[in-house]
Amino acid sequence: MDIFTGLINGFDIALSGTNILFCFLGAVIGTAIGVLPGLGPAATIALLLPITYIIGSPVTAVIMMAGIFYGAMYGGSTTSILLNLPGEAASVVTCIDGYQMAKKGRAGAALGIAAIGSFVAGTVAVLGLTFFAPPLAEFALDFGPPEYFALTTLGLLLAVALSGGSIVKGLIVLVSGLLFAMVGLDPISGKIRFTFGSIGLQGGFDFVTMAMGVFGLGEILYNLESAMKTEIVTTKLGKVFPTLKDWSDSKWPIIRGSVIGFFIGIIPGGGAVISSLASYAIERKYSRHPEEFGNGAIQGVAGPESANNAASSSSFIPLLTLGIPGNAAIAMIFAALMIQGITPGPFLVAEHPDVFWGVIASMYIGNVMLLILNLPMVGLWVQMLRVPYGILAPVIVLFTTVGVYSTQNQVFDVYSMLFFAALGYGMRKLDFDPAPLPLAFVLGPLLERSLRQSLLISGGDLTIFVTRPISGTLIAVLVLLIVGQTVFFLKGRARA
Amino acid sequence: MKKYERIVALFLSLAGLWIMFYAWDTLKLGSIHMPDAGFLPFLCGIGLAILGIVRLLTLQWTSLRGNEGPAEKRRWHRPLLSLALMVLYGWAMETAGYITSTLIFMVAWQQIIERERWLKTMLISLLGTLAMYALFVYLLKVPVPPEFFIG
């Protein structure tokens, strides 16, 4: 099936009544959680994972979750601009100039350019996904166990290196994720590992339970430390549609942001946060008026908002073509596909073209929906900030508890979730970024299987990882990454 | 906070050592030609032990240079109380049934965590319980634990 036929079939699937409805639901939920501070897209998708059992169709489930993910990028800019409060981590940088624009009475223009930039970048990234993913999936068909081992190791280490936090803490979370994935039956020898006699643990920890605990409840517990009170918005929005000057100032930042975001999004661990920071830095560096940045430069909103949207769409490329989730939210979508019995990876396009093309086509539709939802209806989203956290928090607790209970109808899963909730809270409290945990958890079995299979094939010869061209190249990148990080770390220490 | 970080780092190092021993002794490592169930856990154990030690040394080094920064004011009680309520809710859900346990949980949450007035507590709890019941049972068709009092 060529790209155009695939895309037409994809639109046929995405435009069905049910899929349109769930795409819209995803866009609405995504925008809502993007607006609300304290609950990110990874946590929301984690909370909604049990619903995928009820939805039944994998295409519909992933269409909704993808909508939540890129919808959050649209919604995240609203509170950044109006309240100087990022609703989503990727919108932190938007606060700098967005809030200054709002203070000068240009909130509407900032929100407008953020929505339009997000739309353009989202569409550019989906176009890239359409044409880039199928050849990459075909290339990945040649991958054997050594290539998968090298790729998963590289992906996991990149996720830690690019997270921006402490490398040591990131590696601790990564190793912990791998160990949690090993609980239960060993898939090769059938031995029981780390169960301590518990029958409930013999099947291993469930991803849904882990994700809902660490991301959903862990975040709620952490937010409970401080009384979350949102101020009533008094900023006047002004005109939402940008002026001709705004267009002229923003067109190149939007284009640059789209390209930067697209490429950073493909790299595991890259994602929306880094792309928005990179875009802001580039816009400031190459601006003819860098002194305007920090004082309400529209380029400081247009570039980063475009970049984070492009990155969120392009991060589907490694998932759909290689089966490698690059960030926590994508790891949740990986799990949603696995729940439906579909393994993401190079065979996805050939074996489940409906899922592959249906999801891609839905992104075009979702971006149009989000533009409509975010431009004229921005005032409505701002009103959501009035919902007291005291009501929101227990409702989320009830939702997660029954959601987890319903997966296997046993209270053991609820206790497992609470264990992970305590872990998630502790990680946030001690400043450990939990993002590598779900990545290591979902990639752990693939990593172990490919390592053991590679050693079996080669008869214990470790050079198998470097003598094959693809795995050799990946290992070379891995070594460069480790050397680079070590040099960077030592230089930093010497300067300190 | 540094004290807790040191305890965590020490715990991680010891956990790493225990995992290495468990993987070597119980799971068995196998050989490089044919790795067994303990092979990757052993490597992870080594990693965890080393990372824990590195973290401990980093904290010690920061402390010696006097870069600890101001001590963070800890507010553990609300999250810990919430966690305790959630554990009790998990137990009560199977013992007393969904509606009863949810209603008690909502009342306890509004009173203990949010410290709301009784009228508001009752209103939020009743509406919340009924709305969640309707959502799960009628809309999503999710099985919930049966009521103890109804049988």
Side-chain angles (χ1 to χ4, degrees):
Chain A
M1 191 191 292
D2 67 89
I3 290 172
F4 290 102
T5 317
L7 197 59
I8 289 165
N9 287 346
F11 271 107
D12 198 32
I13 294 161
L15 285 169
S16 75
T18 314
N19 289 336
I20 283 270
L21 176 71
F22 277 90
C23 184
F24 178 72
L25 265 178
V28 170
I29 297 171
T31 308
I33 57 116
V35 170
L36 287 171
L39 205 62
T44 311
I45 299 173
L47 295 174
L48 293 174
L49 274 176
I51 288 184
T52 53
Y53 290 105
I54 300 158
I55 292 174
S57 155
V59 193
T60 312
V62 178
I63 282 175
M64 185 183 76
M65 289 181 171
I68 294 172
F69 183 41
Y70 55 77
M73 301 300 142
Y74 276 78
S77 60
T78 307
T79 44
S80 296
I81 292 165
L82 294 177
L83 300 173
N84 200 22
L85 196 70
E88 216 284 311
S91 299
V92 170
V93 80
T94 310
C95 289
I96 304 170
D97 284 285
Y99 187 61
Q100 290 301 323
M101 282 181 75
K103 272 169 72 176
K104 290 176 182 169
R106 300 196 67 225
L111 288 164
I113 210 70
I116 291 164
S118 298
F119 171 74
V120 172
T123 310
V124 166
V126 179
L127 272 169
L129 174 64
T130 308
F131 292 98
F132 202 67
L136 187 62
E138 213 170 296
F139 173 68
L141 287 173
D142 293 333
F143 281 25
E147 285 76 22
Y148 267 107
F149 173 73
L151 188 66
T152 42
T153 312
L154 179 65
L156 288 172
L157 288 179
L158 270 172
V160 171
L162 297 177
S163 70
S166 155
I167 298 280
V168 175
K169 284 182 174 178
L171 288 172
I172 289 172
V173 177
L174 183 75
V175 174
S176 307
L178 289 175
L179 286 164
F180 283 128
M182 287 173 205
V183 173
L185 282 176
D186 169 34
I188 296 177
S189 69
K191 278 184 188 170
I192 293 168
R193 303 189 286 194
F194 302 106
T195 59
F196 311 106
S198 160
I199 296 167
L201 282 177
Q202 280 191 8
F205 284 117
D206 186 31
F207 182 84
V208 177
T209 309
M210 185 277 292
M212 287 174 97
V214 172
F215 286 88
L217 291 187
E219 210 154 293
I220 296 278
L221 289 173
Y222 188 67
N223 289 338
L224 281 171
E225 281 198 349
S226 55
M228 285 192 70
K229 284 202 173 81
T230 42
E231 295 164 36
I232 308 273
V233 184
T234 50
T235 321
K236 212 178 165 189
L237 289 183
K239 276 186 186 167
V240 175
F241 288 95
T243 61
L244 272 176
K245 187 181 180 304
D246 291 337
W247 275 114
S248 147
D249 288 343
S250 307
K251 65 181 184 220
W252 285 110
I254 289 175
I255 293 167
R256 278 191 291 265
S258 306
V259 176
I260 293 164
F262 178 77
F263 285 106
I264 293 181
I266 298 174
I267 305 166
V273 183
I274 295 178
S275 60
S276 60
L277 290 169
S279 166
Y280 189 81
I282 286 170
E283 291 311 323
R284 191 177 178 164
K285 191 174 170 76
Y286 294 105
S287 168
R288 268 181 247 159
H289 303 284
E291 71 284 354
E292 286 178 4
F293 279 76
N295 295 310
I298 198 161
Q299 298 93 325
V301 176
E305 279 302 316
S306 307
N308 68 30
N309 254 274
S312 67
S313 298
S314 66
S315 58
F316 277 86
I317 292 177
L319 173 80
L320 297 177
T321 59
L322 305 170
I324 306 286
N327 58 55
I330 293 286
M332 309 296 166
I333 295 172
F334 179 100
L337 281 166
M338 296 292 278
I339 286 170
Q340 301 286 343
I342 292 174
T343 309
F347 294 104
L348 184 76
V349 65
E351 288 174 1
H352 299 282
D354 53 331
V355 175
F356 187 86
W357 291 110
V359 171
I360 289 178
S362 80
M363 289 179 168
Y364 289 98
I365 301 163
N367 271 300
V368 178
M369 282 179 181
L370 282 162
L371 187 69
I372 298 164
L373 278 171
N374 279 272
L375 263 184
M377 293 166 71
V378 67
L380 202 70
W381 295 112
V382 172
Q383 295 305 314
M384 267 193 54
L385 291 164
R386 293 173 191 262
V387 178
Y389 203 70
I391 294 175
L392 205 61
V395 166
I396 293 172
V397 173
L398 292 179
F399 197 82
T400 49
T401 311
V402 180
V404 161
Y405 177 84
S406 69
T407 56
Q408 295 187 77
N409 288 342
Q410 52 182 25
V411 95
F412 175 82
D413 290 331
V414 175
Y415 292 129
S416 298
M417 179 184 69
L418 293 178
F419 161 74
F420 281 110
L423 183 75
Y425 168 64
M427 284 165 79
R428 284 171 178 84
K429 187 79 189 155
L430 296 171
D431 205 19
F432 281 78
D433 178 12
L437 193 79
L439 297 183
F441 194 88
V442 294
L443 291 177
L446 175 64
L447 182 86
E448 182 171 24
R449 202 171 49 242
S450 54
L451 171 66
R452 285 164 73 178
Q453 282 174 346
S454 303
L455 292 173
L456 276 169
I457 294 166
S458 68
D461 183 6
L462 288 170
T463 57
I464 190 171
F465 297 111
V466 287
T467 48
R468 293 164 67 118
I470 300 171
S471 69
T473 312
L474 292 168
I475 294 287
V477 176
L478 187 71
V479 171
L480 278 174
L481 176 76
I482 294 169
V483 171
Q485 284 293 330
T486 313
V487 170
F488 187 70
F489 175 78
L490 292 174
K491 270 189 176 174
R493 278 272 175 259
R495 237 181 279 134
Chain B
M1 196 49 67
K2 294 281 178 197
K3 189 176 89 181
Y4 296 99
E5 290 206 37
R6 280 193 196 99
I7 295 169
V8 169
L10 189 66
F11 170 78
L12 288 170
S13 307
L14 295 173
L17 289 173
W18 177 81
I19 289 164
M20 283 164 67
F21 178 74
Y22 175 77
W24 171 75
D25 184 56
T26 311
L27 299 175
K28 306 297 175 200
L29 304 184
S31 65
I32 192 85
H33 312 277
M34 197 176 280
D36 207 346
F39 188 74
L40 194 61
F42 185 78
L43 295 180
C44 287
I46 295 176
L48 201 60
I50 292 173
L51 288 165
I53 293 166
V54 170
R55 183 83 197 119
L56 208 56
L57 291 174
T58 315
L59 287 166
Q60 199 59 33
W61 189 73
T62 322
S63 159
L64 283 174
R65 288 176 62 96
N67 293 342
E68 290 211 26
E72 196 193 327
K73 202 178 166 188
R74 295 191 304 276
R75 291 174 293 249
W76 300 78
H77 66 282
R78 254 165 53 110
L80 287 183
L81 275 173
S82 316
L83 198 61
L85 274 182
M86 289 177 207
V87 174
L88 285 173
Y89 177 54
W91 170 78
M93 207 164 71
E94 239 187 14
T95 321
Y98 177 74
I99 298 178
T100 314
S101 60
T102 304
L103 189 64
I104 295 170
F105 171 78
M106 285 294 277
V107 170
W109 186 286
Q110 296 302 323
Q111 281 296 302
I112 300 168
I113 311 292
E114 301 299 334
R115 299 190 179 279
E116 289 290 357
R117 280 173 292 125
W118 272 104
L119 185 68
K120 199 174 171 187
T121 296
M122 291 316 291
L123 201 70
I124 292 172
S125 305
L126 272 171
L127 287 175
T129 306
L130 290 176
M132 293 309 273
Y133 187 79
L135 174 74
F136 284 113
V137 177
Y138 296 112
L139 199 69
L140 299 175
K141 312 268 183 224
V142 167
V144 294
E147 283 308 296
F148 174 78
F149 297 110
I150 297 170

